Amino acid sequence: MDRPKKTLWLGIETSCDETGVALVAEQDGKPRVIGALLVSQVNRHRPYGGIVPELAVREHSRNLPLLVARLFEETGIALGELRGIAVTEGPGLASSLLVGNAYARAMGAALDLPVFGVNHLEGHLFSPFLGAEESIRFPFLGLVVSGGHTLLASVEGWNRYRIVSATSDDAAGEALDKIARLLGLPYPGGPEIEKLATQGNPKAFRFPRGFPDSRDLRFSFSGVKTAIRYFLEKHAEERGNPAFLADVAASLQETVVQTLCDKALWAAAAGGFRILAASGGVLANRRLRELLDRGCRDAGLSLRIAPSSLCTDNAVMIASAAAWKNMAGVPACLREEIDPSLSLAM
Ligand code: KG4
Ligand code: ZN
């Protein structure tokens, strides 16, 4: 049987501790997911309380070829049907990025296919539009909150991104991961804090917010981290009390998500945006999603958020960015080398 011709992209994501592969087709002007696989390494890194780069490289190197083979087998797609390969070329851990890039570039050369370098942040930025009925409308305000980044960007078109605000120290996810460790919770800390927070009172304690005043759009999360360290030292006798720990988790989660929400809404009002698109691993947090939902409704803003599984790192967002750009006539380009600190602003 003849298969209908599709424009298909293979996406590869290895920027941190998830090995992701995805096949995405261009269909009716939108990316459509044909198949996707993801191997998370969190269980391997958990005993060390954070990501061990060498371990990540070994895991990516072992899993990536296996995942690609399984993806083609499960979807029944043949290599010859590919239009091109999309790979995350930064930002991220250098050694992890190298695994995906070496693989993608070798595969591109062997099959004579174009390789599209995708900025990991660009993948997150557009992920809220995955699966949406309507097409992407520019401009929109993008909020990206992950383990490595916390930023607001004005997205004016493909490759036209202007950073409105970023963090001056820790990313929100990074701060949550570090605070979780202080609370004796395993890595990654964000989901653990969320779980514990459901049993606590978000108004039990007040922790400081970074740049709280005068509509300052800058983010800062190292202050809350330090405040919690001193707070826990001061209340050392309570450290074994589960109710106390749950109250700390709920209160600090509230501080972080309120800050993210307020700043995004202020930036949207100041810039006259009509659409807020929120993404990144921390957007898996239900309280943050709830606050943004309510805040955007009150402000008359249209909110886009991807399902939680597409907020954390994945290859669907990488393949989809390439598909969208190709449909918009943006030529595929690939840096000579990976860039671990690749910026979103071009
Ligand atoms: O986007 P992502 O998967 O990887 C990076 O690009 O960094 O984000 C990972 C971050 C971690 O810091 C993790 O703790 C946080 O997202 N995270 C969450 C939740 N799920 C993941 N933070 C709060 N609540 C969650 N449910
Ligand atoms: Zn990410």
Side-chain angles (χ1 to χ4, degrees), residues 13 15-18 51 91-92 120-121 124 144-149 171-178 180 186-195 253 256-257 279-288 308 310-314 317:
E13 158 63 40
S15 67
C16 195
D17 61 345
E18 322 273 356
I51 299 167
H120 181 80
L121 294 170
H124 278 307
V144 181
V145 194
S146 69
H149 296 84
E174 179 186 4
L176 289 173
D177 292 342
K178 289 176 179 169
Y187 171 86
E192 297 293 330
I193 286 176
E194 176 171 26
K195 224 184 294 163
Q253 172 179 270
V256 171
V257 299
S279 58
V282 179
L283 266 299
N285 186 283
R286 269 161 301 187
R287 179 66 183 143
L288 177 55
S308 294
L310 292 175
C311 287
T312 45
D313 289 350
N314 65 85
M317 66 183 192

Side-chain angles (χ1 to χ4, degrees), residues 22-220:
L23 276 169
V24 163
E26 293 176 13
Q27 194 175 299
D28 305 326
K30 294 185 198 103
R32 186 168 77 84
V33 182
I34 304 296
L37 296 169
L38 190 78
V39 171
S40 168
Q41 305 173 1
V42 287
N43 290 333
R44 302 282 287 140
H45 297 284
R46 192 167 279 139
Y48 306 96
I51 299 167
V52 181
E54 187 184 328
L55 200 55
V57 169
R58 287 172 188 271
E59 291 290 308
H60 284 312
S61 308
R62 192 181 57 225
N63 292 329
L64 181 55
L66 298 175
L67 285 184
V68 171
R70 211 171 95 203
L71 182 67
F72 281 97
E73 194 184 304
E74 285 183 1
T75 55
I77 300 289
L79 284 174
E81 294 177 81
L82 282 184
R83 164 72 175 78
I85 302 162
V87 64
T88 306
E89 55 180 356
L93 278 175
S95 45
S96 289
L97 287 165
L98 279 170
V99 179
N101 275 262
Y103 189 94
R105 288 164 199 239
M107 188 171 175
L111 299 175
D112 196 20
L113 286 172
V115 182
F116 222 124
V118 176
N119 185 317
H120 181 80
L121 294 170
E122 193 178 30
H124 278 307
L125 202 57
F126 290 94
S127 63
F129 299 95
L130 289 169
E133 280 299 312
E134 48 165 343
S135 320
I136 297 171
R137 273 182 296 145
F138 297 106
F140 66 84
L141 180 67
L143 167 70
V144 181
V145 194
S146 69
H149 296 84
T150 298
L151 59 84
L152 285 161
S154 166
V155 184
E156 284 138 29
W158 292 107
N159 294 348
R160 291 173 52 212
Y161 318 129
R162 188 173 51 80
I163 306 293
V164 171
S165 159
T167 179
S168 47
D169 40 58
D170 289 1
E174 179 186 4
L176 289 173
D177 292 342
K178 289 176 179 169
I179 295 169
R181 208 192 300 192
L182 297 174
L183 292 170
L185 298 170
Y187 171 86
E192 297 293 330
I193 286 176
E194 176 171 26
K195 224 184 294 163
L196 190 56
T198 57
Q199 295 149 43
N201 172 8
K203 294 195 174 121
F205 308 113
R206 279 181 73 85
F207 296 119
R209 288 194 187 197
F211 302 121
D213 302 321
S214 57
R215 305 292 190 255
D216 190 333
L217 295 178
R218 286 172 301 165
F219 294 102
S220 165

Side-chain angles (χ1 to χ4, degrees), residues 291-312:
L291 275 184
L292 284 172
D293 191 47
R294 195 185 313 151
C296 285
R297 233 177 310 128
D298 291 349
L301 265 175
S302 160
L303 175 68
R304 300 275 174 276
I305 314 186
S308 294
S309 61
L310 292 175
C311 287
T312 45

Side-chain angles (χ1 to χ4, degrees), residues 200-255:
N201 172 8
K203 294 195 174 121
F205 308 113
R206 279 181 73 85
F207 296 119
R209 288 194 187 197
F211 302 121
D213 302 321
S214 57
R215 305 292 190 255
D216 190 333
L217 295 178
R218 286 172 301 165
F219 294 102
S220 165
F221 295 100
S222 69
V224 63
K225 182 188 66 187
T226 309
I228 287 170
R229 177 146 46 83
Y230 289 135
F231 182 82
L232 291 174
E233 277 170 20
K234 200 168 140 203
H235 295 86
E237 73 292 347
E238 295 265 45
R239 296 286 290 270
N241 176 357
F244 168 80
L245 293 176
D247 282 349
V248 174
S251 303
L252 87 89
Q253 172 179 270
E254 199 62 15
T255 306

